[in-house]
Amino acid sequence: MKTILNSHQFGIVIERLAHQLVENNLALDNTAIIGIQPRGIALSNRIFDYLTKHLKIKNLSYGKLDITFYRDDFNTSEEMRVPNATEIDFSIEGKTVVLIDDVLFTGRTIRSAMDAILDFGRPAKVELMVLIDRRFSRQLPIQADYVGRSIDSIISQKVKVKWAEQDKKDEVLLIDNE
Amino acid sequence: MSLSVKHLLGIKDLQPQDIETIFRTADNFKEILKRSIKKVPTLRDTTIVNLFYENSTRTRISFELAEKRLSADTINFTASGSSVSKGETLIDTAKNILAMKVDMVVMRHSASGAPHFLSKYIDAAIINAGDGTNEHPTQALLDAYSMREQLGDLKNKKIAIIGDIMHSRVALSNIYCLQKLGAKVLVAGPPTLIPKHIKALGVDVTYHVQEALEWCDVANVLRIQLERQNMPLFSSLREYSLYYGINKKMLDSLQKKIIVMHPGPINRGVEINSDVADSEQSIILDQVENGVATRMAVLYLLAGKKDLE
């Protein structure tokens, strides 16, 4: 087991991601950030809080997207996934949509999320923010625009992202599975 | 998260947590049905046949819409105009349809137990859309879901089922479903339309509709099923309406506002008056709306099981 981010680094990374988002999108008045259920929500909450409280950004749309019904492994996965709520009560038409998830691995979740978000309208642009990018493990041609930390890992390893809100401590671990 | 059954033959076979799972999933689908694109690609590799041996408007349209909203391919079969009139048996018809690679069967039949019988002979998941006077599980699910939307948790809530209990599959499924959710059930109607041993199911019985209305939080009013009655069980529809029909005056005489439901089709002026059916206390059209989301949930949860068996 290896620590990828300790709680100090964790905070810095989140602040940097928020600042990068502002750098790219400036006023953010035509931007929507959308967390992917369930694991992207902790990160999207933090980013949203930082943008609205520290950087005093107004008029930022914030939504949550569940992709259960858009997955491509419905018939092959071992157990059925529990769907979570989708909360997008604004129009994404013509906006820049920033999808937010914790770990980018095969790219399949993001593929599903893009399908799902297009059912809500036609965004001007879709961007992707992730806390951890597991390089060289992609199964689809998808890459992130904002990356907290890129890591090299093998398929059998697991990345565990812990959040102070639910796991008492902010931390990212790389776990070897035997 | 998965159902404990492979088929939905009746509410009788479900665990309370299965019903919770279906409701939770239905919440998600209800949200999807409010979007401008009311469709998800989940079941795009699934083919479903709607096997209807008996007439239906709401149930068939509701199932078909639910299937289409999930991107499943659908085939509709109605007994009239098919080879059933040439003498083909149920098993033969089903096996022939399934030979064309169909994954799920939604089935309505006038014989009680027909889907249970068929489930012994075919591999596809079967959803009972009403079998004779036995069960109509998806109706009970959407009824309970609609009640829950109005009242919250149904534990200890008082539900009266009023009308033709004897011939109603909706009544039996409702009783099972509501009891599994912890509600109290009372059945009301003329003695000739209430089965003799219904108390064995743990429900209370009254022959006075006014009494039932005073007791309940929700009145689920059932249709008089003349097509299933082969002997006279009450003297005339007019008399039935006079003694057992529900009108606005009765609702206004109560100390509280109860919710009125009806699974449809309504015999207006018989079991329920228009001034009740169209009143603000009636949630009849909410029931129809919720039917699509609950059926999507059932289809989704059963389709996911097909490769696990």
Side-chain angles (χ1 to χ4, degrees):
Chain A
M1 195 171 78
K2 193 179 132 196
T3 304
I4 301 170
L5 292 175
N6 62 31
S7 65
H8 179 62
Q9 294 166 314
F10 202 102
I12 296 174
V13 163
I14 285 177
E15 287 180 20
R16 173 173 55 81
L17 287 172
H19 282 280
Q20 278 182 335
L21 191 64
V22 179
E23 188 185 4
N24 267 15
N25 293 288
L26 296 174
L28 292 177
D29 48 6
N30 198 31
T31 302
I33 65 169
I34 292 185
I36 298 175
Q37 290 273 23
R39 307 205 55 94
I41 299 304
L43 177 59
S44 60
N45 280 343
R46 292 275 185 99
I47 297 285
F48 181 73
D49 277 358
Y50 191 82
L51 290 172
T52 49
K53 287 182 188 149
H54 290 265
L55 303 181
K56 310 281 181 218
I57 300 225
K58 294 186 180 92
N59 308 325
L60 177 63
S61 308
Y62 177 32
K64 296 170 185 175
L65 179 68
D66 182 77
I67 56 139
T68 311
F69 302 125
Y70 292 83
R71 298 193 72 91
D72 58 6
D73 57 357
F74 176 62
N75 278 326
T76 48
S77 64
E78 287 293 305
E79 60 185 289
M80 291 197 80
R81 287 160 206 277
V82 184
N84 290 286
T86 292
E87 296 162 18
I88 300 179
D89 46 12
F90 48 86
S91 164
I92 61 159
E93 200 75 26
K95 284 204 171 84
T96 297
V97 169
V98 184
L99 296 173
I100 299 184
D101 205 0
D102 61 346
V103 180
L104 176 57
F105 183 34
T106 60
R108 286 181 190 266
T109 300
I110 306 304
R111 198 281 310 157
S112 312
M114 286 195 287
D115 269 2
I117 203 70
L118 293 176
D119 278 1
F120 287 84
R122 184 180 187 276
K125 193 177 174 190
V126 179
E127 294 183 332
L128 174 61
M129 175 187 290
V130 295
L131 187 62
I132 302 295
D133 176 9
R134 297 182 66 172
R135 288 187 293 190
F136 313 125
S137 54
R138 218 73 82 230
Q139 294 169 357
L140 296 168
I142 282 170
Q143 79 285 334
D145 301 275
Y146 311 98
V147 176
R149 180 66 59 93
S150 283
I151 61 161
D152 299 338
S153 59
I154 52 172
I155 299 264
S156 65
Q157 289 173 314
K158 269 193 166 164
V159 173
K160 175 118 183 89
V161 182
K162 291 186 171 181
W163 297 91
E165 292 89 332
Q166 58 225 29
D167 313 300
K168 292 183 186 138
K169 194 175 166 190
D170 286 342
E171 194 177 36
V172 182
L173 303 170
L174 184 64
I175 298 167
D176 290 307
N177 264 11
E178 54 293 329
Chain B
M1 186 202 71
S2 207
L3 297 184
S4 64
V5 291
K6 190 191 166 199
H7 309 284
L8 180 63
L9 300 176
I11 301 289
K12 196 180 179 181
D13 315 318
L14 294 183
Q15 303 296 323
Q17 75 198 55
D18 289 329
I19 300 174
E20 292 296 332
T21 304
I22 292 169
F23 286 175
R24 227 187 120 175
T25 314
D27 285 340
N28 289 285
F29 286 121
K30 201 167 173 185
E31 180 269 319
I32 287 167
L33 293 174
K34 291 194 174 121
R35 298 181 190 170
S36 51
I37 297 180
K38 302 170 185 56
K39 198 174 167 107
V40 286
T42 322
L43 297 190
R44 65 191 157 199
D45 59 350
T46 305
T47 308
I48 302 172
V49 59
N50 300 316
L51 212 55
F52 277 70
Y53 281 85
E54 209 185 55
N55 297 339
S56 168
T57 312
R58 256 160 306 278
T59 308
R60 193 167 58 78
I61 289 178
S62 181
F63 263 112
E64 196 177 343
L65 208 49
E67 290 153 6
K68 289 186 165 151
R69 300 290 195 221
L70 285 165
S71 302
D73 290 323
T74 62
I75 324 165
N76 288 312
F77 168 93
T78 38
S80 55
S82 74
S83 284
V84 172
S85 53
K86 298 178 191 163
E88 189 169 58
T89 65
L90 172 61
I91 295 181
D92 280 340
T93 305
K95 282 195 168 167
N96 276 279
I97 291 171
L98 294 175
M100 297 181 240
K101 305 276 179 276
V102 172
D103 307 295
M104 294 177 89
V105 178
V106 173
M107 178 182 176
R108 168 168 288 193
H109 203 286
S110 55
S112 301
H116 307 69
F117 169 75
L118 190 61
S119 72
K120 295 196 176 83
Y121 295 92
I122 64 171
D123 287 329
I126 298 174
I127 296 171
N128 183 0
D131 62 326
T133 57
N134 179 37
E135 281 222 46
H136 190 350
T138 55
Q139 179 70 43
L141 289 168
L142 73 90
D143 284 349
Y145 184 83
S146 307
M147 290 178 205
R148 220 167 70 142
E149 224 171 37
Q150 302 288 330
L151 301 174
D153 189 4
L154 294 185
K155 201 163 175 53
N156 293 325
K157 292 288 186 310
K158 297 172 187 166
I159 319 293
I161 304 175
I162 299 169
D164 186 353
I165 311 296
M166 175 93 85
H167 302 93
S168 173
R169 49 197 175 209
V170 178
L172 190 58
S173 284
N174 255 273
I175 290 170
Y176 285 135
C177 189
L178 294 167
Q179 286 183 337
K180 284 178 197 228
L181 294 170
K184 291 179 188 150
V185 183
L186 169 76
V187 297
T192 47
L193 292 180
I194 293 184
K196 215 171 173 181
H197 299 293
I198 190 124
K199 280 188 178 161
L201 290 173
V203 300
D204 287 324
V205 178
T206 177
Y207 303 125
H208 304 284
V209 171
Q210 186 68 32
E211 211 176 284
L213 293 177
E214 273 159 22
W215 173 82
C216 72
D217 300 312
V218 180
N220 198 355
V221 188
L222 305 180
R223 181 174 64 93
I224 294 300
Q225 309 213 2
L226 290 172
E227 79 274 21
R228 289 187 218 281
Q229 301 176 5
N230 40 23
M231 54 171 151
L233 294 167
F234 50 87
S235 21
S236 71
L237 285 176
R238 192 173 140 69
E239 189 193 278
Y240 183 88
S241 166
L242 233 49
Y243 287 100
Y244 301 101
I246 294 175
N247 57 46
K248 193 80 172 77
K249 224 168 94 187
M250 295 163 84
L251 291 189
D252 292 341
S253 74
L254 303 175
Q255 303 298 319
K256 54 186 178 181
K257 273 213 169 239
I258 62 164
I259 295 162
V260 180
M261 304 174 67
H262 192 298
I266 305 174
N267 292 320
R268 281 176 186 265
V270 182
E271 68 266 2
I272 192 167
N273 262 17
S274 285
D275 54 8
V276 174
D278 305 329
S279 74
E280 56 182 64
Q281 278 166 272
S282 146
I283 58 163
I284 295 174
L285 293 177
D286 296 296
Q287 288 174 264
V288 180
E289 187 192 338
N290 287 334
V292 180
T294 36
R295 288 184 172 112
M296 282 172 84
V298 169
L299 290 163
Y300 168 76
L301 291 165
L302 288 179
K305 300 208 84 170
K306 71 182 173 205
D307 283 354
L308 304 179
E309 296 296 319

